Amino acid sequence: VSFTGDSLLTFVDSGTSLMVLPQKYFNAIINDLMNRGGNSMNCEVFQGLMSCPPGAPVDQFPDLEIRLPSLENPGNDTVLTLPGPNYFVVQTGGILVLGMQASNDNFLILGDVVMQSYYTLFDRENYRVGFAGSGSARSLPKNNGTDNSADILATVLAVVCGIAGLALIGVVGFWCFRRCSASSHYAYRRATDTPNGGHRLGGVPGG
């Protein structure tokens, strides 16, 4: 099922456990999942919740894609992809419950069930939210479908390598400092020791 062309005011809220969406979209997703294997898995829909028995192969359900438009770069959408197991929640006894609930409001709330698959950054100063995950959060232009996740990954790796390099330089520098200090102290002792075991003090020869 696809809702391409529809747009909803979207909130990213760490205080909400599930994904909240308008009733008509919720019903369409439930019907689609039941027709795509839910019935054969003995899944049930009761009081607005879809649940599947413990051990049900929910990984056979289709991926859920959420497309978020970019205000800074119109036309470039951020696409969040959740495989079946990521949008189901394990409850008591191993029962798998769809991590969505319906609302009479016309907006979308992305709660913990979505955020748990990503590192989520709230940029309050600039009123932005960023997502980073294991290659599934990507910027996707509407026209040509170019995926720049490789560039994002390369940037992250470069930053990590840079931090690791600075840490290594610091460790080596500290080691060299300790070695040089120890060598200088040893050289000083050798220079001030007299043949009979005494020491020169104040530059006056001993003995």
Side-chain angles (χ1 to χ4, degrees), residues 63-104:
D63 292 348
L64 173 67
E65 288 195 349
I66 304 169
R67 185 186 296 264
L68 303 174
S70 171
L71 298 179
E72 294 183 350
N73 300 297
N76 291 333
D77 296 345
T78 295
V79 179
L80 306 179
T81 302
L82 277 70
N86 288 34
Y87 56 80
F88 274 83
V89 180
V90 181
Q91 298 287 358
T92 303
I95 296 176
L96 301 168
V97 178
L98 181 66
M100 304 180 194
Q101 71 180 62
S103 169
N104 293 325

Side-chain angles (χ1 to χ4, degrees), residues 41-196:
M41 296 179 197
N42 295 320
C43 299
E44 298 179 346
V45 179
F46 180 71
Q47 294 185 345
L49 293 176
M50 175 181 174
S51 62
C52 299
V58 293
D59 58 321
Q60 296 179 10
F61 285 130
D63 292 348
L64 173 67
E65 288 195 349
I66 304 169
R67 185 186 296 264
L68 303 174
S70 171
L71 298 179
E72 294 183 350
N73 300 297
N76 291 333
D77 296 345
T78 295
V79 179
L80 306 179
T81 302
L82 277 70
N86 288 34
Y87 56 80
F88 274 83
V89 180
V90 181
Q91 298 287 358
T92 303
I95 296 176
L96 301 168
V97 178
L98 181 66
M100 304 180 194
Q101 71 180 62
S103 169
N104 293 325
D105 297 308
N106 195 39
F107 55 71
L108 177 67
I109 300 178
L110 304 182
D112 291 338
V113 72
V114 176
M115 296 173 60
Q116 67 183 356
S117 300
Y118 299 93
Y119 296 102
T120 307
L121 175 64
F122 292 90
D123 184 359
R124 295 184 178 181
E125 293 183 0
N126 298 300
Y127 301 99
R128 299 182 302 179
V129 179
F131 298 93
S134 57
S136 54
R138 63 191 189 278
S139 176
L140 183 64
K142 294 180 179 178
N143 296 328
N144 54 25
T146 302
D147 185 352
N148 70 345
S149 58
D151 295 337
I152 297 174
L153 180 59
T155 301
V156 173
L157 289 176
V159 172
V160 172
C161 290
I163 294 174
L166 290 174
L168 181 60
I169 291 173
V171 171
V172 173
F174 179 73
W175 180 81
C176 291
F177 173 78
R178 292 293 301 272
R179 291 279 297 180
C180 292
S181 298
S183 298
S184 299
H185 180 70
Y186 177 73
Y188 171 76
R189 292 293 302 272
R190 288 290 303 273
T192 57
D193 286 346
T194 60
N196 61 359

Side-chain angles (χ1 to χ4, degrees), residues 12 33-34 72 179:
V12 181
L33 292 177
M34 293 299 291
E72 294 183 350
R179 291 279 297 180

